[in-house]
Amino acid sequence: MKVVVGQGSCGIATGAKKTSNEFERIVAEKNLTNVVIDKTGCIGTCYLEPIVDVYNEEGALEARYVKCTPDKVAEIVDEHLIGGKPVEKYVIPTEDEAFLSQQQRIVLRNCGKINPEKIEEYLAVGGYEAARKVITSMTPDQVIEEIKVSGLRGRGGAGFPTWFKWNAIKSNKGAQKYMVCNADEGDPGAFMDRSVLEGDPHSLLEGMIIGGFAAGATEGIIYCRAEYPLAIARLEIAMAQAREKGYLGKNLFGTDFSFDIRIKAGAGAFVCGEETALIASLEGERGMPRLKPPFPAAKGYWKLPTNINNVETYANVAWIIANGGQAFADRGAEKSKGSKVFALAGKIKKGGLVEVPMGMTLREVIYNIGGGIKNDKEFKAVQMGGPSGGCIPAQLIDTPVTYEDINKTGAIVGSGGMIVMDEDTCMVDMARFFLDFTRKESCGKCNYCRIGTKRMLEILERITKGEGKDGDIELLEELAGKIKDGAMCGLGQTAPNPVLTTIRYFRNEYEDHIYNHKCTAKSCKALIHYEITDDCKGCGKCARNCPVNAITGEKKQVHKIDPNVCIKCGKCEDNCAFGAVKRV
Amino acid sequence: MSNTCGCQNGGNADFAELAPVLEKYAKVPGSLITILQQTQDIYGYLSLDAINYIAERTGIMPAKIYGVATFYAQFRLQPVGKYLIMLCKGTACHVNGSDMVEEAVCEHLGIKDGETTEDGLFTLNNVACLGCCSLAPVMMVKSADGEETYGNLTKSSVKKILDDYKAKNA
Amino acid sequence: MNKFRLNIDGKEVYGLPGQTILEVCRENDIFIPTLCYDERTEIYGACGLCMVEWEGSPKLWKACATEIAPNMVIRTNTKRVFESRKTNLELLLSNHKGDCRPPCMLACPAGTDCQGYVGLIANGQYEEAIKLIRDNIPLPGAIGRVCPHPCEKACRRGLVDEPIAIANLKRFAADTDEFGEDPFVPECEPDTGKNVAVIGGGPYGISMAYFLRQMGHDVTIYEAMPKLGGMLRYGIPEYRLPKEVLDEEIAVLEKMGITMVTNTKIGEDISFEAIKRDFDAVCVGIGAWVSTGVRCKGEDADGVIGGIDFLRKVVRNEKIDLGKNVAIVGGGNTAMDACRTAVRLGADKVYNIYRRTKDEMPADMIEIEEAEEEGVIFLNLTNPLEIISDENGHCRQMVLQVMELGEPDASGRRAPVPVEGKTETIDVDTVILAIGQRVNAEGIDGVELTRKGGIVYDKDTFMTAIPGVFAGGDCGNDKISIAVESIGDAKKSCLVVDAYLRGEEIKYEPNYYVTKKDVTPANSSMQKREKTTSLRLYSAMMKSRQSKKQTAVWNADVKTTLNVSSSAMQICMM
C-alpha cells in the first residue's frame, strides 16, 4: 500500500510534513512493512490541504483524505491501512471531487500523482518518450510544425504563438543559442508555475529539451524566483537524476544533440519577468529592460540568440508531441487553443489551481469549479492578469476565458491569476494596491513608469484617504493614457490597466470617495466610522479591548462609540460576538 | 553565522568563508547575483566590507555591486534578526486581510516593516508574493534552521505563532 | 552604400541603412529633443523624449533607437507627440527636488556663475576663472571690492559656518589677470554695421557697451564727467576702490574698440536729438546723482552737503574745508564712505546719525565695524531735528531727536518713534546728508518719468517711451540699488537691444529654475561629516607617529580647530 502525502508549498504550510512524519512514526511503531510513505506535489485543491492519497497494492486509488492533520493519522492507520476500510468522514466530499473532474489537466497531468523527486515515477507515466521521439526521429522543422498545429500560445501572459518564437531563434545564427525558462512568476496571486516546478519538474525539463532541439540550442537556463526555495531544490534533484539517466548532458539518446540545463535564482524583482530584464539579470546586472529591437531571438543573453518561454508553455510541449498537436488544438476555443492553468484565489470558497479548456466562461470557473463566493457574499469582480491586468465586473461574468475576449474587457489573461472579490472589496483600494506594487517594482529606467506610477499612486492614496479632488479621475485617466504610450517595457505599459478598468467599471466608487466622502465597500478606514447597533447586549467586551477607550456604556445596555476618539482599528468589530459593531 | 555584528569597519576582515564561493564564481561572467546570494547565505546580510572584498576579488567596481545589491529586494545590507518574518502582501493575501495581520505583528513586536526588534529576535519584511494564495494571508519565517510557512493567519493566530518563537528562545 | 528615401514631417529626406531616425533628423535640421542620448555612448533609450509617430503603427517609436526603413513616413510634430513630450517633462519636474543652479548664482542680479569660477580658482585655473567671470561682469576688480555680495548671503556654506568668500575670490581673479602680463580681452563678433550710443559711463553704461561691442556693434559711450566709472569712481572713496583698478578695466574696453567721449553732458554739450539721429539705438544709464535732503529745519545752511556730492568732490580733488566736527546722516554704505573719508581728511570728531540701531543699518557690517575702528562716533536712534546756523549762515550745531524702536512697519523693520521731549545737541562744522539719491533726467527729452523723477522703461524689453531708446541702472523705474544690479540690467537687456538692432522684437525671459527651499542648518550635515572625517584622518596620522611631543601638539591642534572634546579624541584614538 502506498500513502502519498501532498507536499507542495501549500501542503507544507498547512502541516503536511507533520502529517507525513506522523504516518512514518505510527507505521514504524506498528511495523507495517507493506506500507510505503511517499510524497507528491500540489494536487490543486489547495483549500483542502493537507491531502493524503492511499493507493492499494495494485496501484489504484482507494481514498483521498483531505484536511488530514496529524491528529487524524492514527485513526486512518488503524481503520484503513490495517483494517482495510477507508475512514469516510475524512475522505474528499463528492461535491469537491467535481473541482477536479471538471478540469482538463495537461500541464498538471502528473501533479499530485507522482513523486517529483523520483524520476522513475515520471518515466513510468511515459516521461522522456516525447524527447526520445523528437531527438531520434524528427527534424527541428517538424517539431515546430507540430507546435504550430497545436496553436500553443505563450502562457506567461503575452500569448504570443510559441511556434513563431521557436522558428525565429532557429533561423538566427549565433555561436551558441539558449533556451531560457521564465520561472520568475512575479504576479502576486499566481502560483501555477510553482506547482509545476514542485510537482512535476521533469515535464519542464523535457519541454526545454524538445525546444532546445527545435531551436538548435545546447544550453538551457531556468530563471527561478528566490521565493520558491522548494521549487529550486526539486529542480536540482530532477536535473541530477535526469543527467544520471542520460536525458541531459552530451549526446542524448545516442545522437549528436547535446543539451544541459542550469538554474539561476532570481533575487526578488518583479520586473525580471520582462524578457530583456531577465536577460540582464542572468548577466549579473540590475534587472533593467533593454531596447527592443534587437529582440532576444536575435540578440539576447550575451548578445546571442535566446528564446524565453514560461514554465507552463514548456510543460505543454511533451504532451503535444506525445499526443499530436491536433489533440491540443481540439480543445479550447478557436483562437485560444488548448487548456490553461488558473490560480483561483481571493474570496472564493474553493481556492486552488484549475486547468480548464480555454473558452470556459468565468461563471463556470468561479461557481461550478470554485464553488462560488466565500460566505455566500455577493460577487463583485474578478481580477485577471495580476498588476498588468484588470478587474472584470460581475455583469461580464459570462465572458469566455480566451485571450481575445478577455482583452476586450480591458483586462488580460496574463499568467493565469484569478483573484475573486466580493462586495466588501473596495475597487479604488485595489487600484491603489496594484499601483503601490508596480511603483515599488518599477526598475526606474524610464521617466513615465518611474515617476508616472508615483504620481498616480499619490492621487489614489489621497482618494482612499478621503482627500480626493474634483478632476482627479480625469487626471488619472490622462496620466494612464500617457504612461501606456510612453513607458519602455511591459511593466510600465500595463501598470495603468488596473486603474483604467476600475474607473471604467466602477466609476461610481471613485465618485463616492471623492464627492460623497464615502467608501462604497465600507473598507477605506478614513471614510468609514464604526457604530454599535441595537443588537448590542452590553457585555462590554468591545470597550475593554478598545485601545483608546472610545466606547462607553452600562452593563447590559447598548454601548456607544465616540467618533472623535475612535481610531478605527476595528478591534471592537473583531471582539463582538453578537455582530453589533457595524461599519457605516 | 555572524549575523548580529553591526560593525561596518573591520569585523570579518578576512572573509575566509567566502573563499570557496569566489574560487568558483569570481571569473565566471554574469555570476554576481549568485555570489551575492551565497554571501548573504553565509553572513546573513551584505556588509559594505563584504561588497568591497567581492569587488577586489572579481574586478567588478564596488559601485556596480552596490547597485545590484540595492536593486533586488532579496538583498539585505543590514543584519537581520534570528527570525526573518516575510509577510506576504500579494493580491490574494491583501483581499483576505493581510493589512490587519501586519498591524497585529507590528503591534505585538513593536517594529515596522524593515525593522528588527530590540532583542534581535525578529525582523519584519513585507514581500510581494509567496505563491501560497489559497492559504491567504500567509507569512514565511526564515531562520538558520530553514523556512516555515504559516497560512490562514488571523490577528490572534499570528500573535500566537510569534509567542511560540519567543518561548523557544526564552 | 545605397541611400534611400523617407519622409519626415512632409519633408523628403535621404538616409543610409543603419541610421536612426534621430540621426537623419539632425542631418536635416529637424529638431527632436533628447535627454539621455549622447553620440559617444551606447543608445540607452530611457528618457522617452524623442518619441515620434510612424505612420501605419499604433505606437510611438524612439527616434534615437529606431533604424530607418525605405519609404517610412515619420511625424515629429503631431499633437500626440507634443502631449507625450509635455507629460514627460511635467513628470520629470514633478519629481525634481532642485537645484538647477546654485543659490549664489540665482542671488546675483547679474547671474554670475559664482559656483563655476570659485571652482576654477580652487583648481588653480585662474585664466579660465576670469574668463567665466567676464561672461557677466566687465568690472570684476571693482565689483569684487565693493559689492555687498548677495551671493554670499545665499551661500549654503553659511548655514554650516561661513559663506565662501565669493567677492574676494573675484577680486583675486581680476587682480591676477589685470595686473598680470597679458590681461584678457574678450573677442568681438565681426562688425554688424550698427552703432549704439550709451549715455553714462557708470556700471550700466560700461556693461551695456561691453556686451553690445562683443556682439559686433559699434559703441560710443558719452560721459559727463572727465573719466568713466560713474558712482564707482565718483561715489566710492579710494581706500575702498583704488581708481587704478577702474582704469585697468576701462582700458580693456578701449582695447575692445569702444569709443569713449568724456566731459560731454547730453542736453548741454550735445543734443539728445542728435544722438537719436546719429545712432541706431540709445541706452541711457545716467544714474541717480542728486542727493535727497532730510527735510529738517535749517537744512539749507552752508556746510550742509549731500553725501554723494561730498564724495565726488573728494575724488575730483576739490578743496573742502570740513572743520573739526562733522556729522553724517544716514545708515548706508554711502554714509559709511562719507564717515571714513571725513576721518581721513582729518576731522576731529566724526558723528554718524542714524534713526535706528546699528543692526538695522543697511550698510555692510564690515564698513560699520571698520568705521568704528577708525573712531567714528555712532549716534544711533537719533534723527536730525534742526540745524542751527551761525550769523554767517553756516551750520554750527545740530539738534537731534532721540528715538526708540516701536512696532515694525511695512518692510518688517521696527519703526523708530521719537521719545517725547528728549533731544541731544552736538556741535557741527559740516553736515553731510547721505540719506538717498534721486535721478535728474534733464537733457533726456521725450521719455516718460516716474513721480520721483526716474526714467520709465518696460520691465520686459527695457525700452523707454521712445522706440529704440533703452534705459537701465539707477536711473530707471525708481530702482536705485547696488552696482551689480545695474550690470545685471545690462546683461538682461543686451539681447533685447541686439535683437532690436536686427529688426526683431524680443523680451527678456528669465530661465526656469527649480530650487531647493528646504535646506536648513538643522539638516546641513556637512559639519558633522567633516568633523568625523577629519578626526579619522588625524587619528590615522597620530597612530603612525612616534613622538609623544608631536602627539601632544597635534592633540591641542585638533581640539581647537575642530572644537571637539577630549573624550571624543579618546574614542578616535582607539
Side-chain angles (χ1 to χ4, degrees):
Chain A
M1 292 190 95
K2 201 152 82 146
V3 173
V4 179
V5 183
Q7 290 187 56
S9 289
C10 283
I12 296 177
T14 44
K17 263 223 186 89
K18 297 201 180 96
T19 303
S20 184
N21 290 344
E22 186 68 356
F23 265 104
E24 295 202 350
R25 188 181 70 80
I26 299 188
V27 163
E29 213 180 72
K30 309 234 166 166
N31 212 354
L32 302 170
T33 46
N34 66 328
V35 175
V36 166
I37 318 257
D38 209 353
K39 65 162 79 125
T40 186
C42 178
I43 294 165
T45 43
C46 307
Y47 67 104
L48 294 172
E49 294 281 357
I51 299 177
V52 177
D53 287 344
V54 179
Y55 294 86
N56 66 13
E57 311 284 343
E58 288 80 44
L61 179 67
E62 282 198 346
R64 169 161 283 168
Y65 293 105
V66 295
K67 295 214 172 104
C68 189
T69 41
D71 53 309
K72 300 181 183 156
V73 173
E75 209 180 322
I76 295 174
V77 173
D78 276 336
E79 289 190 28
H80 187 169
L81 298 185
I82 301 178
K85 211 158 122 346
V87 185
E88 287 304 323
K89 58 183 174 185
Y90 296 150
V91 169
I92 184 170
T94 359
E95 50 141 29
D96 286 309
E97 287 197 318
F99 184 90
L100 285 166
S101 60
Q102 288 191 52
Q103 298 184 31
Q104 283 186 16
R105 295 163 73 101
I106 296 179
V107 171
L108 301 177
R109 57 189 177 277
N110 297 323
C111 289
K113 296 208 181 119
I114 64 169
N115 182 338
E117 296 180 14
K118 292 208 179 117
I119 191 172
E120 296 79 19
E121 298 203 12
Y122 184 68
L123 293 172
V125 289
Y128 288 110
E129 280 310 309
R132 181 195 303 278
K133 179 174 165 194
V134 160
I135 294 174
T136 56
S137 67
M138 289 172 81
T139 65
D141 278 324
Q142 286 171 330
V143 175
I144 292 177
E145 183 59 33
E146 199 70 53
I147 301 293
K148 183 173 178 186
V149 166
S150 76
L152 177 65
R153 290 167 73 162
R155 293 290 191 246
F160 206 77
T162 308
W163 75 268
F164 191 90
K165 282 172 88 160
W166 288 14
N167 201 28
I169 183 178
K170 173 174 163 294
S171 327
N172 284 319
K173 307 237 178 302
Q176 159 97 309
K177 296 191 200 173
Y178 298 96
M179 284 308 259
V180 175
C181 173
N182 184 345
D184 195 47
E185 195 161 60
D187 274 359
F191 52 104
M192 302 75 57
D193 294 348
R194 179 171 64 71
S195 312
V196 173
L197 295 169
E198 291 174 354
D200 192 10
H202 288 284
S203 66
L204 166 62
L205 301 181
E206 194 175 354
M208 284 178 79
I209 295 169
I210 295 173
F213 179 81
T218 53
E219 197 177 322
I221 308 172
I222 302 176
Y223 186 83
C224 185
R225 69 193 304 236
E227 291 87 331
Y228 288 171
L230 183 60
I232 295 179
R234 294 219 170 132
L235 275 170
E236 294 278 16
I237 295 173
M239 280 167 22
Q241 294 181 346
R243 266 186 219 114
E244 221 189 343
K245 289 245 184 312
Y247 297 122
L248 280 176
K250 295 226 174 306
N251 304 108
L252 307 187
F253 300 110
T255 66
D256 55 16
F257 175 63
S258 302
F259 190 80
D260 208 338
I261 303 179
R262 62 185 163 93
I263 300 184
K264 203 72 157 71
F270 173 72
V271 68
C272 287
E274 197 275 341
E275 54 180 9
T276 55
L278 198 160
I279 291 174
S281 188
L282 284 176
E283 294 179 6
E285 308 253 333
R286 290 159 66 101
M288 290 169 120
R290 299 172 175 172
L291 285 168
K292 288 195 284 205
F295 290 91
K299 287 199 168 79
Y301 185 50
W302 301 126
K303 298 225 181 345
L304 294 167
T306 309
N307 178 69
I308 303 181
N309 276 122
N310 179 264
V311 170
E312 209 185 315
T313 316
Y314 283 120
N316 276 303
V317 169
W319 189 97
I320 290 173
I321 296 294
N323 296 284
Q326 193 55 49
F328 191 80
D330 283 341
R331 302 152 188 257
E334 194 200 321
K335 292 214 185 108
S336 305
K337 301 211 187 290
S339 59
K340 171 105 188 61
V341 183
F342 292 100
L344 264 182
K347 297 287 183 68
I348 189 134
K349 280 195 186 145
K350 303 182 186 176
L353 285 184
V354 298
E355 189 173 353
V356 293
M358 296 210 81
M360 203 183 244
T361 65
L362 285 166
R363 184 192 293 279
E364 290 172 301
V365 175
I366 295 174
Y367 282 95
N368 298 3
I369 301 184
I373 313 300
K374 236 189 228 180
N375 298 326
D376 287 316
K377 290 215 173 187
E378 188 149 326
F379 171 60
K380 191 174 198 180
V382 61
Q383 210 277 344
M384 283 195 75
S388 310
C391 298
I392 303 176
Q395 67 257 31
L396 293 177
I397 196 177
D398 289 303
T399 312
V401 183
T402 66
Y403 290 104
E404 285 70 27
D405 289 297
I406 297 292
N407 283 354
K408 274 204 215 104
T409 68
I412 61 170
V413 169
S415 54
M418 265 193 204
I419 312 277
V420 176
M421 300 168 195
D422 65 9
E423 60 201 70
D424 291 334
T425 318
C426 174
M427 300 316 286
V428 184
D429 182 60
M430 282 318 292
R432 184 203 59 80
F433 169 83
F434 282 118
L435 237 339
D436 190 44
F437 177 80
T438 37
R439 182 196 62 88
K440 279 203 197 100
E441 297 292 335
S442 169
C443 77
K445 186 166 173 177
C446 70
N447 299 342
Y448 286 101
C449 178
R450 180 182 75 246
I451 311 175
T453 51
K454 226 203 250 189
R455 297 284 96 86
M456 285 184 82
L457 176 64
E458 282 167 5
I459 299 172
L460 286 164
E461 283 184 337
R462 270 195 298 105
I463 297 178
T464 52
K465 286 206 193 109
E467 295 162 17
K469 293 200 286 253
D470 184 32
D472 271 348
I473 304 177
E474 290 74 19
L475 182 57
L476 278 172
E477 286 174 315
E478 190 193 328
L479 258 180
K482 294 288 187 305
I483 295 171
K484 279 177 87 76
D485 236 4
M488 190 174 177
C489 82
L491 191 155
Q493 285 156 7
T494 57
N497 283 351
V499 180
L500 286 174
T501 50
T502 48
I503 292 180
R504 178 171 166 184
Y505 298 115
F506 300 98
R507 201 186 184 103
N508 61 310
E509 293 207 19
Y510 281 87
E511 288 170 350
D512 256 347
H513 281 73
I514 298 175
Y515 300 110
N516 303 334
H517 282 279
K518 209 164 68 91
C519 171
T520 330
K522 300 206 184 58
S523 162
C524 296
K525 285 235 163 114
L527 297 173
I528 54 165
H529 56 269
Y530 286 88
E531 270 180 19
I532 300 180
T533 66
D534 287 340
D535 286 336
C536 170
K537 302 281 184 246
C539 70
K541 196 154 177 235
C542 55
R544 284 196 293 278
N545 281 292
C546 175
V548 291
N549 292 324
I551 307 183
T552 49
E554 301 291 320
K555 230 180 175 161
K556 306 240 171 122
Q557 302 286 338
V558 172
H559 279 46
K560 197 159 137 44
I561 302 175
D562 183 351
N564 296 321
V565 185
C566 172
I567 56 165
K568 301 180 196 165
C569 67
K571 281 215 169 78
C572 48
E573 193 184 17
D574 288 340
N575 276 293
C576 180
F578 305 101
V581 181
K582 287 267 182 290
R583 297 186 196 181
V584 174
Chain B
M1 217 159 50
S2 57
N3 56 353
T4 47
C5 171
C7 173
Q8 299 279 40
N9 301 321
N12 275 320
D14 64 350
F15 294 107
E17 300 91 339
L18 266 187
V21 175
L22 288 167
E23 267 301 307
K24 191 168 173 202
Y25 290 111
K27 297 301 172 202
V28 178
S31 317
L32 179 58
I33 295 176
T34 312
I35 295 174
L36 291 175
Q37 281 166 333
Q38 302 207 358
T39 309
Q40 185 163 284
D41 279 343
I42 297 172
Y43 298 111
Y45 75 112
L46 298 172
S47 65
L48 273 182
D49 286 331
I51 290 178
N52 283 327
Y53 180 72
I54 294 171
E56 262 176 65
R57 292 290 311 272
T58 57
I60 304 174
M61 289 292 140
K64 179 122 182 237
I65 301 180
Y66 188 76
V68 170
T70 48
F71 183 84
Y72 293 99
Q74 186 194 31
F75 294 127
R76 299 180 286 268
L77 289 127
Q78 299 291 337
V80 289
K82 184 164 179 193
Y83 298 108
L84 176 61
I85 302 171
M86 292 156 62
L87 187 59
C88 181
K89 292 313 220 81
T91 322
C93 293
H94 175 83
V95 161
N96 279 310
S98 62
D99 284 340
M100 307 281 203
V101 175
E102 188 186 359
E103 260 177 47
V105 174
C106 292
E107 207 193 298
H108 202 59
L109 296 179
I111 54 174
K112 292 202 291 272
D113 179 27
E115 290 179 0
T116 307
T117 52
E118 294 252 336
D119 54 13
L121 258 190
F122 297 104
T123 302
L124 174 63
N125 256 359
N126 285 341
V127 293
C129 181
L130 287 169
C132 292
C133 313
S134 339
L135 301 170
V138 176
M139 81 175 175
M140 203 192 261
V141 178
K142 200 167 165 183
S143 67
D145 309 317
E147 296 109 8
E148 281 272 354
T149 314
Y150 301 94
N152 293 314
L153 294 171
T154 61
K155 279 186 179 180
S156 35
S157 72
V158 76
K159 284 186 195 168
K160 179 159 183 319
I161 294 170
L162 293 173
D163 283 337
D164 283 345
Y165 277 105
K166 276 191 194 170
K168 262 208 292 196
N169 286 281
Chain C
M1 282 268 240
N2 292 325
K3 275 197 161 190
F4 50 72
R5 200 167 40 186
L6 51 147
N7 188 307
I8 306 183
D9 291 343
K11 189 173 163 182
E12 234 177 51
V13 293
Y14 289 85
L16 290 164
Q19 277 192 304
T20 61
I21 300 175
L22 180 64
E23 285 170 341
V24 174
C25 283
R26 286 195 172 175
E27 281 173 8
N28 288 280
D29 270 337
I30 298 172
F31 174 67
I32 298 185
T34 60
L35 266 182
C36 69
Y37 176 76
D38 190 312
E39 281 130 7
R40 298 167 288 183
T41 62
E42 253 185 65
I43 302 173
Y44 197 54
C47 75
L49 259 187
C50 66
M51 310 276 251
V52 293
E53 277 193 49
W54 182 348
E55 196 179 85
S57 169
K59 65 179 191 133
L60 292 173
W61 294 78
K62 293 191 166 69
C64 68
T66 311
E67 277 185 25
I68 53 174
N71 299 318
M72 79 190 314
V73 179
I74 300 289
R75 301 290 312 276
T76 75
N77 50 12
T78 63
K79 183 156 169 275
R80 181 177 174 198
V81 166
F82 285 158
E83 285 188 359
S84 171
R85 288 181 196 167
K86 186 159 167 286
T87 308
N88 196 335
L89 287 173
E90 280 174 354
L91 282 174
L92 271 175
L93 279 171
S94 77
N95 218 30
H96 193 28
K97 297 270 198 275
D99 307 288
C100 295
R101 300 312 311 264
C104 51
M105 183 193 151
L106 295 176
C108 175
T112 314
D113 189 356
C114 335
Q115 189 190 46
Y117 78 73
V118 165
L120 287 168
I121 294 174
N123 282 353
Q125 294 169 273
Y126 306 143
E127 279 178 32
E128 287 83 343
I130 192 60
K131 283 189 189 148
L132 185 60
I133 296 168
R134 272 183 171 278
D135 266 350
N136 294 62
I137 310 274
L139 305 157
I143 297 297
R145 285 168 165 80
V146 306
C147 189
H149 41 71
C151 51
E152 291 186 20
K153 271 203 209 45
C155 176
R156 294 232 178 97
R157 185 56 192 259
L159 294 170
V160 180
D161 40 34
E162 282 175 30
I164 303 289
I166 304 171
N168 275 336
L169 284 165
K170 183 159 51 257
R171 167 186 171 164
F172 164 76
D175 289 352
T176 309
D177 172 69
E178 287 160 18
F179 294 102
E181 282 173 14
D182 190 16
F184 168 68
V185 178
E187 267 180 37
C188 302
E189 298 277 316
D191 274 331
T192 58
K194 301 283 181 188
N195 57 4
V196 181
V198 174
I199 303 178
Y204 170 81
I206 287 176
S207 303
M208 212 54 199
Y210 175 80
F211 294 126
L212 289 171
R213 182 72 200 94
Q214 282 181 64
M215 291 173 184
H217 307 298
D218 187 53
V219 185
T220 306
I221 305 181
Y222 287 93
E223 170 56 53
M225 299 299 268
K227 284 192 170 171
L228 262 62
M231 275 299 176
L232 292 173
R233 186 185 295 273
Y234 294 101
I236 298 182
E238 175 81 16
Y239 65 85
R240 272 227 288 155
L241 174 50
K243 310 306 169 213
E244 189 186 26
V245 174
L246 272 175
D247 291 337
E248 287 294 324
E249 298 185 332
I250 291 165
V252 171
L253 298 172
E254 271 176 14
K255 286 197 198 128
M256 287 167 73
I258 297 171
T259 315
M260 300 176 204
V261 180
T262 56
N263 283 315
T264 306
K265 187 160 157 67
I266 308 301
E268 274 179 29
D269 303 301
I270 185 170
S271 78
F272 190 51
E273 285 304 314
I275 304 277
K276 280 195 290 182
R277 187 191 58 220
D278 292 340
F279 289 89
D280 297 311
V282 182
C283 299
V284 178
I286 54 177
W289 280 52
V290 177
S291 246
T292 52
V294 73
R295 282 194 299 265
C296 74
K297 193 165 159 220
E299 202 183 351
D300 49 355
D302 280 338
V304 178
I305 182 174
I308 50 180
D309 303 312
F310 164 64
L311 291 168
R312 187 167 62 248
K313 277 184 186 293
V314 174
V315 172
R316 301 190 75 172
N317 270 322
E318 287 170 21
K319 194 165 173 314
I320 313 160
D321 187 8
L322 280 180
K324 288 207 285 211
N325 302 321
V326 185
I328 291 101
V329 184
N333 279 331
T334 312
M336 292 301 105
D337 285 346
C339 287
R340 298 174 71 186
T341 304
V343 168
R344 281 161 177 76
L345 288 175
D348 268 357
K349 282 210 182 70
V350 178
Y351 298 99
N352 175 255
I353 315 295
Y354 185 60
R355 59 202 184 117
R356 288 184 167 95
T357 67
K358 267 210 206 87
D359 291 324
E360 283 124 339
M361 287 173 78
D364 285 348
M365 206 57 208
I366 182 91
E367 298 297 319
I368 302 171
E369 284 169 3
E370 289 186 352
E372 232 176 350
E373 277 175 26
E374 288 168 7
V376 173
I377 303 163
F378 282 84
L379 298 177
N380 289 89
L381 289 169
T382 60
N383 205 37
L385 206 53
E386 189 184 344
I387 297 177
I388 301 171
S389 312
D390 62 14
E391 56 280 357
N392 296 327
H394 193 97
C395 62
R396 192 166 52 86
Q397 280 181 323
M398 192 153 80
V399 181
L400 303 167
Q401 172 68 58
V402 173
M403 316 286 278
E404 67 180 359
L405 289 179
E407 292 305 309
D409 66 9
S411 69
R413 293 195 291 166
R414 289 178 70 183
V417 278
V419 178
E420 281 299 316
K422 248 185 127 183
T423 61
E424 261 178 51
T425 307
I426 50 170
D427 292 328
V428 290
D429 299 309
T430 306
V431 177
I432 301 177
L433 302 173
I435 298 174
Q437 295 155 238
R438 198 165 50 75
V439 181
N440 177 6
E442 227 183 293
I444 313 292
D445 307 314
V447 289
E448 203 188 308
L449 296 179
T450 69
R451 205 166 51 86
K452 291 190 191 165
I455 299 180
V456 173
Y457 62 82
D458 180 292
K459 64 175 175 51
D460 294 323
T461 62
F462 289 82
M463 203 186 285
T464 63
I466 308 174
V469 174
F470 301 84
D474 283 353
C475 73
N477 284 358
D478 291 338
K479 185 165 71 91
I480 297 172
S481 181
I482 52 182
V484 74
E485 179 79 41
S486 310
I487 298 179
D489 281 351
K491 180 80 189 168
K492 289 170 191 157
S493 56
C494 65
L495 287 170
V496 180
V497 177
D498 174 67
Y500 173 81
L501 290 168
R502 280 182 284 109
E504 287 167 28
E505 262 179 50
I506 65 169
K507 283 189 187 172
Y508 162 67
E509 274 181 49
N511 285 328
Y512 178 84
Y513 295 128
V514 176
T515 45
K516 215 169 147 82
K517 294 189 178 56
D518 57 356
V519 185
T520 65
N523 59 26
S524 304
S525 62
M526 219 180 112
Q527 195 173 23
K528 204 166 77 169
R529 254 188 285 141
E530 264 206 350
K531 270 196 187 172
T532 328
T533 326
S534 302
L535 271 178
R536 283 227 203 115
L537 179 61
Y538 270 71
S539 96
M541 286 162 71
M542 280 321 169
K543 284 193 179 127
S544 68
R545 295 295 156 182
Q546 311 289 14
S547 154
K548 264 200 182 153
K549 185 162 166 225
Q550 277 177 320
T551 316
V553 166
W554 279 352
N555 272 0
D557 229 3
V558 170
K559 273 181 79 175
T560 36
T561 346
L562 295 181
N563 198 21
V564 291
S565 66
S566 326
S567 45
M569 293 276 303
Q570 290 282 37
I571 295 169
C572 200
M573 294 310 158
M574 291 190 332

